[in-house]
Amino acid sequence: MREKLAELHSRALAELEQASDLEALEDWRVKFLGGRGALRELQRGLGGLPPAERPAVGQAFNETKNALEAAFAERQAALEATVLERELVAQRVDVTLPGRPPSVGRLHPTTLIIKQIADFFVSMGFRVVEGPEVERDLYNFEMLNIPQDHPARDMWDTIYVNPPEVLLRTHTSPMQARVMEAQQPPVRVVVPGRCYRYEAQDATHEWMFYQIEGLAVDEGLTMADLKGTLSAFARRMFGPDVRTRFRCDYFPFVEPGVDMSISCHVCGGVGCRVCKGVGWIEILGAGMVHPRVLEMVGYDPERYSGWAFGMGPERIAMLKYSIPDIRYFYGNDFRFLEQFQ
């Protein structure tokens, strides 16, 4: 039995040296130290020995087992250290290399355009105000010269929250009435914000969009002031050579009302795909504040006059950056959004 133990000891140590990875080492453990391993097979033979030999053989068995377990632990520690060293080498970081710049967010193109528009009008003496997106019918329609039975309400596909009184504002124009209620002239404000309409989505329409409303009220304001201000705005946004055109249009809260177009900044007014061959692109609606709107906020329309305008910053951005589809703005596609800074 002792010879068998010695032979097993030598063979096990020789094979242990050949175990080159942790998987082979585990196979070795099962073969020699496992529940059905070679050492356990010899242990079962101890019962057949003469009683006088059992103590000495049992001691030799324990010594062999302890020696093999110690050799296994040593070999396991060495292989684990080798594996760790390989991982450290593979994952080594050269601290002398320059660091990678962190990913930095960018402003949304709508935010960029709103900021550019607001900066221009602030430079002209306007202040920026904001208002509620959940609005009362009183301010969204009534105080803008659009009573309950007025057919002009069909121009806005309104989303009601609590009909007929509470709705999602269809334009930022309600702030005209709110601002004028809160102060006496002179008034010069621009109102950026989200608006909502129950519209089918296509390349030029969204159910949620931004609008910027502008309002100026004072003594002696005329259509010439409106045209001069908006023409200067167009040159700031689209270049010094852009021309403007004003044509009559209808909006219930202004009289007279106009739409403003700019000469196509792509073809210079000759005609192209962007301007659909006409040389002009409509960018906003405007007009002189209706006397009835002034009366409803307590202003004297005989003393004061005013003008207002409304534009969609997404439309300005689409023209300025040649964006073909308004749905790109809110599709959350990083390939689109990362183009703007």
Side-chain angles (χ1 to χ4, degrees):
M1 180 64 73
R2 288 188 178 184
E3 290 78 6
K4 291 182 178 180
L5 284 172
E7 188 273 333
L8 176 64
H9 189 188
S10 299
R11 181 162 54 90
L13 291 179
E15 292 191 19
L16 183 62
E17 287 298 322
Q18 301 300 317
S20 59
D21 54 43
L22 291 175
E23 183 177 354
L25 183 65
E26 176 63 15
D27 293 339
W28 181 93
R29 186 194 67 78
V30 172
K31 180 177 180 180
F32 291 99
L33 299 177
R36 296 183 179 181
L39 195 61
R40 181 60 62 89
E41 289 296 327
L42 285 179
Q43 184 182 16
R44 293 192 182 96
L46 292 177
L49 294 175
E53 296 181 15
R54 290 178 187 174
V57 175
Q59 181 179 357
F61 177 85
N62 290 333
E63 290 173 354
T64 301
K65 179 182 178 183
N66 293 337
L68 293 179
E69 287 179 345
F72 171 79
E74 183 179 352
R75 184 62 175 167
Q76 184 181 38
L79 290 175
E80 288 178 346
T82 302
V83 171
L84 178 61
E85 180 66 22
R86 289 173 182 168
E87 291 180 351
L88 291 175
V89 170
Q91 300 175 14
R92 182 174 58 190
V93 176
D94 186 351
V95 296
T96 65
L97 292 174
R100 295 186 180 94
S103 178
V104 179
R106 294 174 170 84
L107 291 178
H108 192 279
T110 301
T111 304
L112 285 171
I113 291 296
I114 289 175
K115 186 177 185 301
Q116 293 176 28
I117 295 172
D119 286 347
F120 168 79
F121 285 100
V122 167
S123 72
M124 297 285 285
F126 288 70
R127 63 187 178 94
V128 179
V129 299
E130 296 181 326
E133 296 177 18
V134 179
E135 186 57 276
R136 294 172 59 192
D137 182 276
L138 173 67
Y139 291 103
N140 198 80
F141 291 123
E142 296 279 349
M143 297 191 71
L144 296 177
N145 195 34
I146 314 174
Q148 286 283 352
D149 58 349
H150 201 294
R153 289 202 178 205
D154 293 339
M155 297 168 61
W156 291 274
D157 298 312
T158 309
I159 301 174
Y160 284 91
V161 177
N162 185 18
E165 181 56 27
V166 183
L167 49 83
L168 296 180
R169 66 181 179 187
T170 57
H171 44 190
T172 52
S173 302
M175 283 304 293
Q176 285 190 33
R178 287 184 176 273
V179 169
M180 289 190 288
E181 271 189 336
Q183 70 175 84
Q184 289 297 306
V187 174
R188 286 177 177 82
V189 296
V190 286
V191 189
R194 284 185 290 261
C195 305
Y196 305 86
R197 296 180 188 175
Y198 187 69
E199 293 184 343
Q201 293 176 284
D202 57 30
T204 58
H205 295 85
E206 265 281 9
W207 71 274
M208 188 279 292
F209 56 94
Y210 278 82
Q211 189 181 60
I212 295 184
E213 183 83 9
L215 173 69
V217 180
D218 205 346
E219 296 184 33
L221 291 184
T222 67
M223 181 68 77
D225 300 304
L226 168 65
K227 293 174 66 176
T229 302
L230 294 183
S231 296
F233 162 74
R235 289 190 293 271
R236 171 72 68 87
M237 293 299 295
F238 297 100
D241 297 327
V242 72
R243 292 171 290 126
T244 56
R245 181 185 72 180
F246 295 84
R247 297 189 302 178
C248 291
D249 203 343
Y250 171 73
F251 305 100
F253 33 87
V254 293
E255 180 60 40
V258 296
D259 72 57
M260 171 183 161
S261 300
I262 60 171
S263 56
C264 181
H265 59 290
V266 176
C267 66
V270 176
C272 65
R273 179 186 61 83
V274 176
C275 62
K276 299 180 180 179
V278 299
W280 296 94
I281 303 173
E282 181 183 344
I283 64 169
L284 59 84
M288 301 301 294
V289 178
H290 199 289
R292 189 172 299 170
V293 174
L294 297 176
E295 288 178 351
M296 284 189 286
V297 296
Y299 288 5
D300 182 0
E302 297 296 326
R303 179 181 177 185
Y304 297 111
S305 60
W307 47 263
F309 63 86
M311 70 179 78
E314 287 99 346
R315 176 164 178 77
I316 302 295
M318 291 173 73
L319 295 173
K320 190 176 179 69
Y321 299 122
S322 300
I323 300 170
D325 196 319
I326 193 173
R327 290 169 291 190
Y328 289 169
F329 288 95
Y330 307 110
N332 297 325
D333 188 334
F334 284 167
R335 295 172 300 177
F336 170 74
L337 297 175
E338 288 175 348
Q339 299 178 55
F340 304 91
Q341 298 195 34

